[in-house]
Amino acid sequence: MAFTLFSSKNRIINLVLNDHSVRFVELKQTDPPAAQKWCERFLPPGIITDGKITDSDSLANILEECIDEWKIQRRQVRFIVPDPLVIIRKVSVPADIQEDEMKGYLYLELGSSIHLPFEEPVFDFYPLANNGKTKNLLLFAAPEQYVMEYANLLTSLKLTPIAADISPLSLYRLYHHLGYSRDHEVLFTVQFDLTSVNLCIFEGSVPLVMRQFPLPFNIDHWDVKHDNFNEFKYTGETEELVIQFEEILNEISKLADFYRFTLTNEKRDVTKFLLNGDHPMLPAIYDEIKDRFDTPIEMISLDTDFNKKQGSVPFTLLLSLGLALKEVQ
């Protein structure tokens, strides 16, 4: 499941951009694969906003510096489509549509029987149940304009985009690779970053429903240290963060209830939370979720995987690692 815009080979870097950072990981193609190189760069506010490039010149200049500093010139690159641009939607199509005809059928139906909140999407799909009359599919879509802005920018910097992915799938890929997944589980992933939160519920390896929420971010309320990796310390009013956390906890509860009561008619419930993200207060968020819900909660540990002679891979790079595993497993 990914946006199939490109073709692929090897020597690939794996790039994650969001409203406040640029991160990359390169895997050494061993068995099992090991992280060979990783770096991070802070993005000042206003360069990417809600996943959209708003200052392309500044972003190009920063990426050019990163490419030179990280020595990744003329490389192939996978990247994650920013969460605010992506939607996941369940759709039904006639059962007699063949798999090799599905893309064309969906393209023709977009805007008529299948409605999206944007025009000219790039999309992919995942087959679900088939009752003989109709087939259910999961449709993954994003505005082609904004996805191609990233691809074209990377191309202009002499990188070669070969694949675009979405963050919940990258996170789940790493989760599965490290042996955390269990049969018949319903996993609720919480990607809690500095400027946004992504919530996604998986049945097995299939992401059925996803919600994304921006977080207010005032750079004046944070002390940012720019070393090899960014360090953030909050200097504003604690009450502001408490309100933000409480709002997200309410959204987690709403989405869990939506899954239980609306999607499954009380037949299934979330069996585990998986917390990830780059928010500097992630341990406190973990404690809040653990106290609020009866459902077990887990965080991915890289203690024995990926951490080779090069040192420990920061937990902020889990998405990049999951993206790096694409087509490896």
Side-chain angles (χ1 to χ4, degrees):
M1 290 177 287
F3 299 116
T4 51
L5 286 173
F6 319 105
S7 60
S8 72
K9 288 186 182 175
N10 49 23
R11 286 273 301 167
I12 302 168
I13 61 172
N14 302 277
L15 199 64
V16 176
L17 297 95
N18 55 31
D19 287 12
H20 59 278
S21 68
V22 181
R23 300 182 176 117
F24 104 96
V25 163
E26 179 184 350
L27 285 191
K28 186 177 182 181
Q29 298 302 316
T30 56
D31 188 15
Q36 177 170 286
K37 191 176 181 182
W38 56 87
C39 290
E40 179 182 70
R41 175 74 175 264
F42 175 69
L43 282 184
I47 294 178
I48 298 177
T49 304
D50 294 332
K52 299 175 184 176
I53 299 173
T54 48
D55 187 344
S56 58
D57 290 341
S58 294
L59 183 58
N61 290 335
I62 290 173
L63 287 176
E64 193 168 28
E65 291 175 2
C66 291
I67 290 168
D68 183 59
E69 180 182 339
W70 300 344
K71 295 179 173 54
I72 54 173
Q73 294 89 344
R74 301 182 182 276
R75 301 289 292 279
Q76 294 181 320
V77 56
R78 302 185 188 101
F79 66 96
I80 286 183
V81 178
D83 292 331
L85 303 181
V86 178
I87 67 165
I88 298 175
R89 182 161 296 177
K90 188 176 180 180
V91 299
S92 295
V93 302
D96 59 356
I97 304 296
Q98 301 300 309
E99 185 172 349
D100 59 353
E101 302 171 336
M102 193 63 70
K103 277 267 187 178
Y105 176 85
L106 292 172
Y107 185 81
L108 291 174
E109 293 301 311
L110 289 170
S112 54
S113 65
I114 301 173
H115 298 283
L116 298 176
F118 43 78
E119 297 181 354
E120 300 294 332
V122 55
F123 64 90
D124 203 353
F125 65 92
Y126 183 84
L128 298 173
N130 182 346
N131 65 12
K133 295 182 180 179
T134 60
K135 293 178 181 178
N136 289 327
L137 308 173
L138 276 183
L139 184 68
F140 304 83
E144 184 174 19
Q145 171 192 349
Y146 298 120
V147 176
M148 291 308 299
E149 282 182 5
Y150 283 96
N152 292 336
L153 175 58
L154 296 172
T155 300
S156 73
L157 296 170
K158 297 183 172 56
L159 298 175
T160 304
I162 60 167
D165 205 1
I166 65 176
S167 66
L169 286 177
S170 287
L171 181 60
Y172 188 88
R173 191 178 297 117
L174 180 63
Y175 171 81
H176 178 74
H177 174 84
L178 295 177
Y180 286 93
S181 60
R182 297 293 179 265
D183 292 339
H184 311 299
E185 75 178 356
V186 178
L187 184 71
F188 192 136
T189 62
V190 180
Q191 174 78 20
F192 211 118
D193 289 329
L194 191 66
T195 54
S196 66
V197 178
N198 181 280
L199 310 178
C200 189
I201 296 179
F202 286 78
E203 283 187 355
S205 62
V206 180
L208 286 185
V209 58
M210 184 178 77
R211 299 285 186 271
Q212 198 274 340
F213 304 93
L215 289 179
F217 178 71
N218 186 339
I219 189 65
D220 295 332
H221 294 166
W222 292 88
D223 178 28
V224 186
K225 293 183 179 179
H226 308 296
D227 200 354
N228 290 331
F229 283 86
N230 303 315
E231 293 184 15
F232 296 88
K233 182 178 180 181
Y234 188 65
T235 59
E237 295 293 332
T238 305
E239 184 64 24
E240 292 183 17
L241 286 187
V242 171
I243 292 171
Q244 290 182 25
F245 293 172
E246 185 63 30
E247 289 176 350
I248 295 303
L249 288 168
N250 289 335
E251 294 297 342
I252 291 173
S253 181
K254 288 179 186 176
L255 189 57
D257 286 345
F258 174 75
Y259 173 79
R260 179 183 180 186
F261 295 109
T262 303
L263 292 186
T264 68
N265 295 317
E266 299 188 61
K267 294 178 181 177
R268 301 195 71 179
D269 205 350
V270 172
T271 59
K272 186 194 295 183
F273 287 110
L274 177 66
L275 178 64
N276 176 53
D278 63 29
H279 200 287
M281 297 184 182
L282 210 62
I285 296 164
Y286 176 95
D287 290 340
E288 287 292 332
I289 295 175
K290 187 175 181 180
D291 290 343
R292 183 72 62 95
F293 302 95
D294 294 331
T295 307
I297 179 171
E298 196 160 22
M299 294 177 69
I300 291 175
S301 170
L302 297 175
D303 288 346
T304 58
D305 294 83
F306 297 103
N307 296 330
K308 307 300 182 184
K309 294 180 181 179
Q310 294 81 2
S312 297
V313 181
F315 71 93
T316 55
L317 290 177
L318 294 187
L319 279 185
S320 303
L321 281 173
L323 179 62
L325 290 171
K326 187 175 175 62
E327 299 167 9
V328 171
Q329 294 177 289

